[in-house]
Amino acid sequence: MSVKTYTVQGMTCGHCVSSVKEEVGEIPGVTGVEVDLGSGRLDVSGDVADDAVRKAVEEAGYTLV
């Protein structure tokens, strides 16, 4: 199992974190999602393509940088 780290731009509250976790968590192959609001850090565990993570973050209303 691998862990990939990304940075999400635009999150301002706990609801933002929940939205990102929910969308990314629905990607097939994802086994874990951790989001840090302060830094915008997104850690995704599992076997997943970067494009799938980007689409999920955008679906939640935020930007992957």
Side-chain angles (χ1 to χ4, degrees):
M1 177 177 70
S2 66
V3 177
K4 292 184 179 181
T5 300
Y6 306 91
T7 302
V8 178
Q9 186 176 27
M11 296 186 300
T12 59
C13 65
H15 177 68
C16 300
V17 169
S18 296
S19 295
V20 170
K21 276 183 146 178
E22 181 179 338
E23 290 294 335
V24 174
E26 291 178 357
I27 300 170
V30 169
T31 58
V33 180
E34 293 296 325
V35 180
D36 180 72
L37 177 61
S39 65
R41 181 179 170 142
L42 167 64
D43 293 327
V44 181
S45 303
D47 184 23
V48 62
D50 294 338
D51 280 348
V53 174
R54 181 177 307 280
K55 287 178 185 175
V57 168
E58 290 174 354
E59 184 69 27
Y62 307 98
T63 305
L64 204 62
V65 293

